[in-house]
Amino acid sequence: MVSASRPRLLIATSNPGKLVEMRELLAETPWEIVGLPSDAPDFEETGLTFAENARDKALYRSLLTDVPVVADDSGLVIDALGGEPGVHSARYLDPDMAQGDRNRAVLTKLAGLAPEERTARFICHLVLAYRGEIVHETEGTCEGRIAEEERGRTGFGYDPIFLVPELELTFAEISPAEKDARSHRGEAARALASFLPDWRP
Ligand code: ITT
């Protein structure tokens, strides 16, 4: 018996950490999750908000393929830095900086601040687009605090300096499943997953 092939959904990100998380978060949907081809052109983000950037990325990628596309724009908003790095998270301070150096530079900027002055949140905006049209959008937020030092080895990006207050552990000290259960991307992806079964291109 020949089984029907699953419809494909392209996660349009060049960030391997995001792709790993999205694959896991959408694993229970009927969709086969695929990543960008290695020769996909870069996309320059110019928006002022996560929503704007996610829409721009999704629309751009959706015009280059027949497969429905999900784009993720996300980042870390630190109150004591006036909301920075925010939409600049991926390239904050110096685009060529290694992420570990970027994390340590953020810690230096916050040196001496008490825990209650170190509040921060991760935000993730997801946009599903198909052939140049936006189909659905979701957003997730995760409130936390910037740690005093880097801790842990899991995850990616700013995870080693982002403390989950109720655990007093960073995102890099908990398992991927625990991060997915609490994270900004987890919240946004679960909302998308509940929309996907009812939609067909
Ligand atoms: P794409 O645009 O190709 O998806 P990107 O990494 O450039 O990849 P963004 O412009 O959305 O994506 O930047 C998001 C940055 O925010 C990312 O590079 C991380 O530094 C940070 N970030 C987002 N989600 C994160 C998470 O769950 N854990 C740690 N850092 C995260």
Side-chain angles (χ1 to χ4, degrees), residues 13-15 18 45 57 73-74 156 159 179 184-185:
T13 180
S14 55
N15 182 321
K18 285 184 183 181
E45 296 173 18
K57 266 192 272 197
D73 202 66
S74 48
F156 68 97
D159 283 346
K179 180 182 172 188
H184 50 312
R185 186 163 296 103

Side-chain angles (χ1 to χ4, degrees), residues 20 23 25 42 45 95 99 115 121 147 154 170 172:
V20 166
R23 266 191 204 289
L25 286 161
D42 279 344
E45 296 173 18
Q99 185 63 36
R121 66 207 52 79
T154 59
T170 69

